[in-house]
Amino acid sequence: MQKSCIILAAGDGTRMKSSKPKVLMEVAFEPMIDWVMNAVIETEVIRKNIAVIYSAESVRSHIEKKYPRVNTFAQTERKGTGHAVMQAESFLQERGGDVLVLCGDAPFIDTETINESYELHKAHANTVTVITADVDAPFGYGRIIRHGDTVTGIVEEKDCTDEQRALTEVNSGAYWFNAEALLKALPRLTTANQNGEYYLTDTVKLLQNDAGAYKSTHSEITQGANDRRGLRALNDIAFRANIDRHSDNGVDVIGECYIARNVTIGQDTTILPGTVIRDNVTIGKNCTVGPFAHLRPNTRLADGVKVGDFVEVKNANIGEKTSIAHLTYVGDSDIGKGVNFGCGCVTVNYDGVNKARTVVEDNAFIGCNTNLIAPVRVGENAMTAAGSTVNKDVPAGALAVERAELRMRDSFKLNIQRKYKKK
């Protein structure tokens, strides 16, 4: 049977006090909607047939650039989640089968929950399966109303009775629907509620004869963010989960560090406080990174590399046992094995228009305060003298020295006058 997915991404982020729509706010360096998109793409049950409902053009642009095969539908009027799904009626009619509906601002939906909820949805022949979880603090969430194993409805916080507010099983905002049944239910939605909106949750009551629920063991799938405090809480959860994963794999992460999801780190590597590691970074075994280092995307550190304090590495390959100890920038570079960078070195990779690469071969020694003007190559076992600006290739085994003559001016009066300066 055909399977598809609709992602609701029309939130504006007003309470975030941001010019960006909410789904483009970042959790662990990734827009929230990318977390959701990637979870869907990685599932066994859905690999294509995805639609995104947007209101901001920046969301549409982001999706079309990063996920070019995804369908987009505009919600020009903000009339609730049910109204948002109505914008994709043509998509539903064309695909049929079963459709997963997700919130683009709930980043922690996971593939396990998607796959297992679909198995339950099919096994019970449900027309709708609500994905739920038990939470310790249910305030603000829609409560799941049950009669035995059957879900009879979802009541939003503003519409709850005192008895319903005490319930801890809440709606995650994710559902599996039979597309044909959903298409029949959507025209029956009304705005008879506190917000005067078309609630997608009301479809559960309309379809209650064949409605069920899958209760996820991952309570974080329910979490979203409406303001900056909520966004910070999501980031705390995400960064802690990433650190725990690396710790479980034999990595020492000391103090506060910020590591993106798709980072690979080898055993017995140490990450020191204040380090930021962005996405698509690979670090080998027995490395040291930090404190206060920044590894940007497309960085590869081989085994035994040292990246010290206040070092930034971007789009670079660093060979085994190379040391970049402190106050250095290495960008768009290919660095060999056993290379030593002194303090304050820079690969000058950008001329204001184009980026160029620097190559440093095995066992070279880059002296303190060296500027390597790309494109440039430093040969094997070559050296650069401290304070040199190198704009020509350095042959293997050579020493590159670039210094102006040092001149002295005796009795430099301007400096002598400083001691008489009024304070």
Side-chain angles (χ1 to χ4, degrees):
M1 179 175 284
Q2 180 86 289
K3 294 170 284 293
S4 58
C5 179
I6 295 174
I7 299 174
L8 308 182
D12 54 21
T14 300
R15 283 179 283 177
M16 290 284 184
K17 293 183 169 60
S18 173
S19 59
K20 292 196 298 187
K22 187 162 59 170
V23 297
L24 295 185
M25 304 299 282
E26 292 191 349
V27 172
F29 310 126
E30 294 178 71
M32 286 193 278
I33 194 167
D34 286 6
W35 285 71
V36 180
M37 287 291 303
N38 292 335
V40 173
I41 291 169
E42 291 169 8
T43 61
E44 298 173 5
V45 294
I46 303 172
R47 296 188 185 276
K48 53 183 180 179
N49 292 329
I50 303 171
V52 172
I53 313 301
Y54 70 93
S55 61
E57 282 299 308
S58 56
V59 174
R60 181 190 61 80
S61 297
H62 176 81
I63 293 297
E64 292 184 354
K65 181 178 179 179
K66 193 163 185 178
Y67 308 98
R69 297 183 180 180
V70 169
N71 301 270
T72 56
F73 296 89
Q75 185 184 14
T76 56
E77 296 181 276
R78 302 291 302 285
K79 296 181 179 180
T81 52
H83 180 258
V85 175
M86 292 175 190
Q87 311 314 303
E89 284 183 337
S90 61
F91 176 85
L92 290 168
Q93 290 167 351
E94 182 179 339
R95 268 71 178 181
D98 292 309
V99 59
L100 174 67
V101 178
L102 299 174
C103 295
D105 59 355
F108 299 143
I109 189 69
D110 60 280
T111 56
E112 177 186 329
T113 295
I114 293 173
N115 288 331
E116 291 186 359
S117 61
Y118 181 70
E119 291 175 7
L120 182 146
H121 178 72
K122 295 309 296 178
H124 291 222
N126 292 338
T127 54
V128 57
T129 299
V130 187
I131 299 176
T132 73
D134 282 320
V135 297
D136 295 333
F139 181 81
Y141 290 98
R143 308 306 201 277
I144 302 299
I145 310 302
R146 286 180 175 269
H147 181 71
D149 290 335
T150 301
V151 175
T152 58
I154 303 172
V155 181
E156 298 298 325
E157 174 73 35
K158 291 181 179 180
D159 302 309
C160 280
T161 65
D162 290 343
E163 182 180 0
Q164 291 167 342
R165 285 192 178 90
L167 299 173
T168 60
E169 185 182 9
V170 302
N171 177 24
S172 70
Y175 317 80
W176 279 104
F177 286 98
N178 172 275
E180 183 179 354
L182 178 58
L183 283 167
K184 292 179 180 178
L186 288 174
R188 298 169 61 193
L189 296 179
T190 72
T191 57
N193 51 64
Q194 290 290 326
N195 287 338
E197 295 180 347
Y198 296 100
Y199 289 159
L200 186 62
T201 52
D202 287 347
T203 60
V204 176
K205 186 174 182 180
L206 295 173
L207 302 171
Q208 63 179 284
N209 291 335
D210 297 299
Y214 170 83
K215 187 185 291 188
S216 175
T217 58
H218 304 152
S219 61
E220 66 273 10
I221 68 166
T222 66
Q223 293 191 251
N226 291 319
D227 55 27
R228 298 282 183 164
R229 292 188 183 190
L231 186 65
R232 186 174 66 203
L234 294 182
N235 273 279
D236 289 344
I237 292 169
F239 284 128
R240 176 52 53 191
N242 294 343
I243 289 171
D244 287 347
R245 174 168 56 87
H246 291 297
S247 297
D248 293 342
N249 290 333
V251 177
D252 287 324
V253 182
I254 300 172
E256 289 296 321
C257 299
Y258 307 92
I259 303 175
R261 280 196 302 168
N262 59 341
V263 168
T264 301
I265 307 177
Q267 291 181 354
D268 296 317
T269 283
T270 299
I271 311 297
L272 293 170
T275 295
V276 176
I277 305 177
R278 299 276 180 166
D279 60 307
N280 197 27
V281 168
T282 299
I283 302 172
K285 299 177 182 178
N286 300 299
C287 294
T288 303
V289 181
F292 304 107
H294 188 185
L295 301 185
R296 292 171 57 194
N298 303 315
T299 290
R300 303 287 182 270
L301 307 186
D303 295 346
V305 167
K306 179 179 180 180
V307 172
D309 50 295
F310 304 103
V311 170
E312 181 175 340
V313 184
K314 187 269 293 188
N315 191 27
N317 302 300
I318 313 298
E320 292 180 9
K321 297 184 178 180
T322 283
S323 177
I324 311 171
H326 32 217
L327 298 164
T328 290
Y329 172 71
V330 178
D332 298 303
S333 299
D334 299 294
I335 311 300
K337 297 182 290 186
V339 173
N340 186 87
F341 280 81
C343 179
C345 297
V346 176
T347 59
V348 185
N349 59 332
Y350 185 48
D351 64 6
V353 178
N354 299 306
K355 299 286 180 70
R357 293 191 76 80
T358 294
V359 176
V360 179
E361 297 182 359
D362 295 349
N363 301 309
F365 186 96
I366 309 301
C368 292
N369 292 315
T370 293
N371 294 312
L372 299 175
I373 311 296
V376 71
R377 176 182 293 267
V378 178
E380 187 173 354
N381 291 309
M383 298 181 67
T384 67
S388 296
T389 294
V390 178
N391 60 2
K392 297 179 182 178
D393 289 352
V394 181
L399 169 64
V401 183
E402 187 277 327
R403 294 174 182 160
E405 180 184 354
L406 180 62
R407 299 179 181 181
M408 304 294 180
R409 293 179 60 187
D410 294 338
S411 302
F412 185 49
K413 294 181 180 180
L414 179 61
N415 196 46
I416 294 172
Q417 290 171 357
R418 289 175 65 228
K419 68 179 180 181
Y420 302 112
K421 184 177 180 180
K422 293 182 180 179
K423 295 183 179 179

